[in-house]
Amino acid sequence: MPPRRKSPRPRMTIPTQLVLRTLLAEPAREMYGLQICDEAGLPSGTIHPILARLEREFGWLESRWEDVVPAEEGRPRRRYYKLTEDGAERSRIALAQAATSTVSLRLAPRPAGGLT
Amino acid sequence: LNASLDRVPCSSADIANFCLDLARSDVFSAIGLGSGDAQKGSLNPHTAAKLAEDLTDPVRTAESVAAALGDICTDDLNEATYDALAIAKRHGIGLVNALERAQRFAADISRDASDTQLSRRDLRRNLDSARDHSANLIDDLGVVVSSLVPAGASNVGGEEAAKRPDRSKRVAPAASRVLTVTVRPLPAIGRARYAAEFRTELWELAQSGASRRAQVAYATRQLRSAWKLRAALRTPARQRAGAL
């Protein structure tokens, strides 16, 4: 059997969409895990598998350790995430497509309700 | 799971019950699933091996709880630790019984299945490993019970409580222990990174004034999604240059 072809974009689950929307709000801004959780309104534990896929499998994200000396700052380093330029573009497209399919799904079964 | 976490308990006994119930229900559902398949004659070697691997997962969860209990109880000697540990131990024994059933079930599969020797060996090895883990869990709990009961009994005075340092903004050791276990199933390539990342997040939570209960809930959520993270990290990395 031929190997299954990988999709060029992640499955656009609701949590994935929320993470992407959060990162796209300010694409140049770097954010750390808890910050993304807070702003996306997702519970911790949800986002790391999503971020890992977006970064490792699709290359839409890049991450780096914060450039501080923990002993001087008195706190551990954060891991910052940011959309790549290409990732931001692809995220916009994927989110738009996801929104379109959601809208069409929602409208199809009930054409009444004000349409003339 | 989220609904369960909204009801995350706050006493040592409740935390022990909560986590060990999760582990035990996972074991029983895995055994039930496998038994059903075996009766229908539809269990293939791969499913059997996967089942055995799944069984080790809840045991790891239970193991983390056992490790965490020591810290919880050290912090809360005045909070009926003996009861908490006795309950945890009872649950641990239930876990061992469940795993022994799994072991018998594995033996049945080995007799009946016309699969390869390799799959059978894997299945037996995984189940042996699961049982060893659970036996260690029981031993650990026994040691913690016997070492903490006298201390707990003698440490009920108000003076001790008055001397205790302010625990606000401190990382809960129990949560820290759970995170240690959380990164164990991750591939070596990401283990150190996520260990550091989770610890930073836990530290941030503690600094923001999160209670010990909230910190344990955070760590438990990470633990529950560890296998998803592992799957994500095991996916081959995409070739960056021009691949997208």
Side-chain angles (χ1 to χ4, degrees):
Chain A
M1 191 168 33
R4 202 169 57 177
R5 193 184 165 87
K6 275 219 165 268
S7 166
R9 62 167 221 193
R11 276 184 58 225
M12 296 301 281
T13 58
I14 300 293
T16 304
Q17 290 184 45
L18 290 171
V19 167
L20 287 176
R21 279 182 207 288
T22 303
L23 291 165
L24 268 177
E26 287 178 73
R29 178 181 165 209
E30 292 183 307
M31 299 175 79
Y32 58 94
L34 275 185
Q35 199 177 9
I36 298 172
C37 277
D38 284 347
E39 297 196 14
L42 289 167
S44 58
T46 316
I47 61 155
H48 285 295
I50 295 172
L51 293 174
R53 277 199 193 286
L54 292 174
E55 180 180 5
R56 187 172 164 76
E57 190 175 346
F58 298 97
W60 290 12
L61 283 183
E62 56 192 10
S63 67
R64 66 169 183 92
W65 284 112
E66 189 181 15
D67 194 15
V68 297
V69 180
E72 286 175 8
E73 294 290 320
R75 65 176 176 82
R77 292 181 303 164
R78 293 168 175 162
R79 183 88 185 180
Y80 278 114
Y81 293 87
K82 192 180 84 162
L83 283 166
T84 61
E85 209 169 295
D86 185 57
E89 188 55 36
R90 285 174 186 274
S91 301
R92 280 192 198 96
I93 295 168
L95 283 171
Q97 286 173 347
T100 306
S101 57
T102 307
V103 168
S104 60
L105 281 173
R106 197 179 298 152
L107 287 181
R110 36 177 204 166
L115 293 179
T116 53
Chain B
L1 175 65
N2 284 337
S4 304
L5 287 170
D6 285 343
R7 292 182 281 108
V8 167
C10 54
S11 75
S12 302
D14 286 343
I15 290 173
N17 262 326
F18 174 72
C19 296
L20 282 164
D21 272 345
L22 278 181
R24 202 165 60 150
S25 69
D26 282 354
V27 169
F28 279 121
S29 62
I31 290 170
L33 185 69
S35 300
D37 284 348
Q39 280 166 10
K40 283 184 285 181
S42 60
L43 188 71
N44 65 39
H46 292 296
T47 312
K50 177 72 173 58
L51 169 68
E53 198 179 322
D54 287 348
L55 281 174
T56 59
D57 187 19
V59 176
R60 286 193 190 112
T61 309
E63 189 187 35
S64 72
V65 174
L69 273 174
D71 291 324
I72 292 172
C73 295
T74 307
D75 283 350
D76 288 337
L77 287 175
N78 293 333
E79 289 181 19
T81 54
Y82 180 77
D83 288 346
L85 286 165
I87 292 166
K89 190 171 181 181
R90 221 164 41 232
H91 280 286
I93 290 167
L95 190 62
V96 169
N97 290 339
L99 285 161
E100 279 172 356
R101 283 175 49 199
Q103 182 79 14
R104 285 199 296 276
F105 165 60
D108 290 345
I109 295 171
S110 292
R111 272 199 306 275
D112 300 341
S114 57
D115 52 18
T116 63
Q117 285 295 333
L118 184 65
S119 295
R120 277 185 241 165
R121 259 205 319 274
D122 286 346
L123 179 62
R124 279 193 169 280
R125 199 178 54 219
N126 283 331
L127 282 164
D128 281 339
S129 147
R131 201 165 63 157
D132 289 345
H133 275 302
S134 58
N136 289 339
L137 164 68
I138 292 297
D139 289 343
D140 289 346
L141 286 170
V143 169
V144 176
V145 168
S146 58
S147 63
L148 281 180
V149 169
S154 64
N155 185 24
V156 288
E159 284 181 22
E160 286 293 329
K163 285 179 193 166
R164 214 173 277 162
D166 179 13
R167 294 215 307 260
S168 62
K169 299 195 174 180
R170 253 185 54 190
V171 169
S176 188
R177 288 280 185 89
V178 174
L179 286 183
T180 302
V181 177
T182 298
V183 298
R184 266 191 218 162
L186 301 184
I189 191 171
R191 203 174 298 142
R193 167 186 159 177
Y194 282 97
E197 197 167 348
F198 291 155
R199 286 191 191 289
T200 302
E201 292 189 0
L202 184 60
W203 186 88
E204 302 255 359
L205 268 181
Q207 290 303 301
S208 69
S211 64
R212 194 188 58 181
R213 169 185 157 182
Q215 292 180 45
V216 171
Y218 161 83
T220 309
R221 283 191 205 107
Q222 299 293 1
L223 179 65
R224 297 286 289 182
S225 68
W227 293 86
K228 277 188 191 166
L229 183 56
R230 172 182 143 117
L233 293 175
R234 289 178 92 180
T235 308
R238 196 177 177 85
Q239 297 296 316
R240 298 293 167 83
L244 288 173

